[in-house]
Amino acid sequence: DIQLTQSPSSLSASVGERVIISCRASQNISSNLNWYQQKPGRAPRILIYGVSTLQSGVPYRFSGSGSGTDFTLTIKSLQPEDFQTYYCQQGYSTPRTFGRGTKVEIK
Amino acid sequence: EEQVVESGGGLVQPGGSLRLSCAASGFTFNNYWMSWVRQAPGKGLEWVAHIKEDGNEKNYIDSVKGRFTISRDNTRNIVLLQMTGLSVDDTGVYFCARERVLRDFWSGDVRYSWFDPWGQGTLVTVSS
């Protein structure tokens, strides 16, 4: 199974700051890496698929990069609604796997 | 609007059974793989199982193999998760999600695969 190591597990930041979340795969997954945002008590929603393609309706302050085993999610300028939990997920092989999540909190 | 809606969760004793249902609408159901993903209280997301468009291929995580069965009815646009031999470790919110795929134009190979949309989830509590 492909393990996804997400870091940090949590971070504190202020509105307007740039935030970078990392996701490392245990083996090469090409570009089959996705990012989700989850609000408490809600279903996750897709932000980015295929490393860097923004889902329709997702603000441009979100971006993704990487390939192979190392990937990042960047939030260019944090907004109040961005203080949520973020997960990476690989669609390269079965079983599908998720990172353990990064909780973004208000500093 | 493309959406999926889960139902069937509830409280069940260890060793018991439960059947979850997911109703899809707003898209051509039999064109997509469908997945179940769960989330234990306060924990992260865990993919559980998925089923191919025609129902002829199914995959599971190891911890549910032999206990859970995924199926679908393409005439009713529903996907089911039959759960037996439930343990406290199966407690959590179970989400249904469509699996979207982007294929390479020339080879037809899958380039990307992601989950969208997700349902609101249904809570399964295994407790005595």
Side-chain angles (χ1 to χ4, degrees):
Chain A
D1 298 1
I2 294 174
Q3 312 300 321
L4 295 179
T5 303
Q6 219 177 307
S7 61
S9 57
S10 66
L11 64 90
S12 296
S14 302
V15 172
E17 274 191 54
R18 186 179 76 154
V19 162
I20 298 175
I21 299 169
S22 171
C23 180
R24 174 166 289 177
S26 60
Q27 65 186 73
N28 188 338
I29 58 171
S30 185
S31 297
N32 211 326
L33 190 283
N34 312 308
W35 292 96
Y36 300 84
Q37 178 192 65
Q38 187 179 31
K39 301 177 181 181
R42 303 288 297 275
R45 73 151 175 160
I46 183 73
L47 291 178
I48 291 172
Y49 62 88
V51 173
S52 60
T53 303
L54 237 57
Q55 174 73 358
S56 175
V58 173
Y60 291 113
R61 62 181 180 272
F62 291 93
S63 64
S65 63
S67 68
T69 60
D70 290 307
F71 305 90
T72 58
L73 171 70
T74 300
I75 310 173
K76 189 166 58 175
S77 175
L78 270 175
Q79 298 302 299
E81 61 268 29
D82 301 336
F83 292 93
Q84 311 296 346
T85 300
Y86 296 85
Y87 295 92
C88 58
Q89 176 254 328
Q90 62 83 17
Y92 183 81
S93 68
T94 300
R96 306 296 193 226
T97 48
F98 291 85
R100 299 182 73 168
T102 296
K103 186 173 184 179
V104 178
E105 298 175 306
I106 300 175
K107 183 184 285 184
Chain B
E1 180 190 3
E2 300 176 332
Q3 65 175 355
V4 294
V5 179
E6 305 92 338
S7 60
L11 174 64
V12 61
Q13 292 188 337
S17 300
L18 210 56
R19 189 179 79 165
L20 306 183
S21 180
C22 168
S25 60
F27 60 94
T28 305
F29 182 70
N30 60 8
N31 282 355
Y32 296 93
W33 287 68
M34 296 296 295
S35 275
W36 286 95
V37 177
R38 68 185 179 183
Q39 187 168 37
K43 302 297 184 183
L45 300 167
E46 180 180 51
W47 176 84
V48 174
H50 67 184
I51 184 168
K52 195 178 177 181
E53 299 97 325
D54 58 8
N56 287 336
E57 184 175 343
K58 307 171 186 181
N59 292 291
Y60 304 87
I61 52 168
D62 286 347
S63 60
V64 308
K65 283 180 183 175
R67 300 189 299 120
F68 289 13
T69 302
I70 190 171
S71 61
R72 65 190 294 161
D73 183 341
N74 285 348
T75 66
R76 297 166 58 200
N77 289 359
I78 61 170
V79 58
L80 301 171
L81 187 68
Q82 179 67 49
M83 305 185 294
T84 62
L86 285 162
S87 76
V88 294
D89 292 338
D90 297 313
T91 293
V93 176
Y94 284 69
F95 297 101
C96 172
R98 179 181 66 174
E99 196 156 338
R100 294 201 64 182
V101 165
L102 185 67
R103 295 184 180 276
D104 182 270
F105 179 82
W106 299 108
S107 67
D109 293 342
V110 173
R111 291 183 62 193
Y112 311 134
S113 172
W114 69 98
F115 300 117
D116 176 62
W118 297 62
Q120 83 288 351
T122 188
L123 177 62
V124 173
T125 304
V126 185
S127 174
S128 54

